[in-house]
Amino acid sequence: MQVINLSLQNSILNRFVAELRDINIQGDRLRFRRNIERIGEVMAYEISKQFDYEVCDIPTPLAISHDKLDRNDVVLGTILRAGLPFHHGFQNILDRADNAFISAFRKYKDRLNFEVMTEYIASPSVEGKTLILTDPMLATGSSMELAYKAILSKGTPKNIYLASIIASQPAIDYLQTKMPESAICWTAALDPELDDHSYIVPGLGDAGDLSFGTKED
């Protein structure tokens, strides 16, 4: 699996990520969601450079324009709930794509130990298509792995892109052993470690709670 860390490039994307992390800014829920959405827009644009293109004749009022258009049949998959604003950003750019939704949550056995569970999937066929799976926080990598396995019940994609805002190095190491070699993982930041609760450090906290409010356990 190839990993592309966009934070290694100098771009405005780094400011969006910094604002997500900043405790003095992230309390603004609307801005927090919009920054996630903007990162999704930037990342969708970057991923689109990997698509197949062909020249098409486009009629204008004056003549025919010969433009390169993407020819990929895309399915955007997201992991609920924190993934929704990230998914919206991708939709804003890849507006012709079909969409898939997968639930994934931590079921705690005690204060520190949990397993990731999936209960729900709504997806079109992904057979022979370009699959983009989005999850803003790749902590352990288990949610992304289970979402990928679940969506394989809808077919075998031709191309696989994983997209996150912040990934941990342990998650990347784990997914290297679980995902196809041809898959490409895109992240806007790569953090070194997890804490005892398997939260990314330095990370940003709970993206779902910061986007939508604290949930009752």
Side-chain angles (χ1 to χ4, degrees), residues 71-75 96 98 128-131:
R71 308 307 297 172
N72 290 53
D73 197 354
V74 178
V75 175
R96 297 166 58 247
D98 288 334
K129 298 179 181 179
T130 294
L131 173 65

Side-chain angles (χ1 to χ4, degrees), residues 165-186:
I165 296 174
I166 301 177
S168 75
Q169 189 60 54
I172 294 298
D173 294 341
Y174 178 78
L175 290 173
Q176 289 281 14
T177 69
K178 301 296 182 181
M179 298 300 296
E181 186 176 346
S182 60
I184 302 177
C185 181
W186 298 72

Side-chain angles (χ1 to χ4, degrees), residues 39-208:
I39 293 169
E41 291 168 352
V42 173
M43 197 167 289
Y45 168 75
E46 292 293 334
I47 291 175
S48 75
K49 297 176 183 179
Q50 304 280 324
F51 292 171
D52 298 322
Y53 288 81
E54 69 179 26
V55 176
C56 297
D57 294 339
I58 306 298
T60 81
L62 301 178
I64 298 297
S65 176
H66 308 290
D67 300 318
K68 286 187 176 180
L69 301 182
D70 65 285
R71 308 307 297 172
N72 290 53
D73 197 354
V74 178
V75 175
L76 295 175
T78 196
I79 299 175
L80 303 171
R81 68 178 167 146
L84 288 174
F86 197 33
H87 183 84
H88 290 159
F90 274 84
Q91 281 184 307
N92 290 343
I93 304 303
L94 304 176
D95 56 286
R96 297 166 58 247
D98 288 334
N99 297 270
F101 301 92
I102 307 103
S103 71
F105 64 96
R106 294 182 177 188
K107 184 176 181 180
Y108 281 87
K109 302 173 183 178
D110 54 45
R111 191 174 68 89
L112 296 178
N113 297 301
F114 64 88
E115 59 181 334
V116 177
M117 308 288 291
T118 58
E119 287 185 331
Y120 171 84
I121 178 171
S123 173
S125 170
V126 298
E127 184 66 34
K129 298 179 181 179
T130 294
L131 173 65
I132 302 175
L133 271 179
T134 67
D135 189 4
M137 306 296 286
L138 281 185
T140 66
S142 297
S143 294
M144 186 68 83
E145 178 199 8
L146 289 179
Y148 173 68
K149 287 182 176 178
I151 212 164
L152 288 181
S153 66
K154 307 300 181 181
T156 302
K158 177 182 179 182
N159 304 297
I160 303 163
Y161 301 107
L162 311 181
S164 70
I165 296 174
I166 301 177
S168 75
Q169 189 60 54
I172 294 298
D173 294 341
Y174 178 78
L175 290 173
Q176 289 281 14
T177 69
K178 301 296 182 181
M179 298 300 296
E181 186 176 346
S182 60
I184 302 177
C185 181
W186 298 72
T187 187
L190 182 57
D191 286 358
E193 59 186 353
L194 301 173
D195 67 10
D196 291 340
H197 295 273
S198 293
Y199 283 105
I200 302 172
V201 179
L204 54 77
D206 190 306

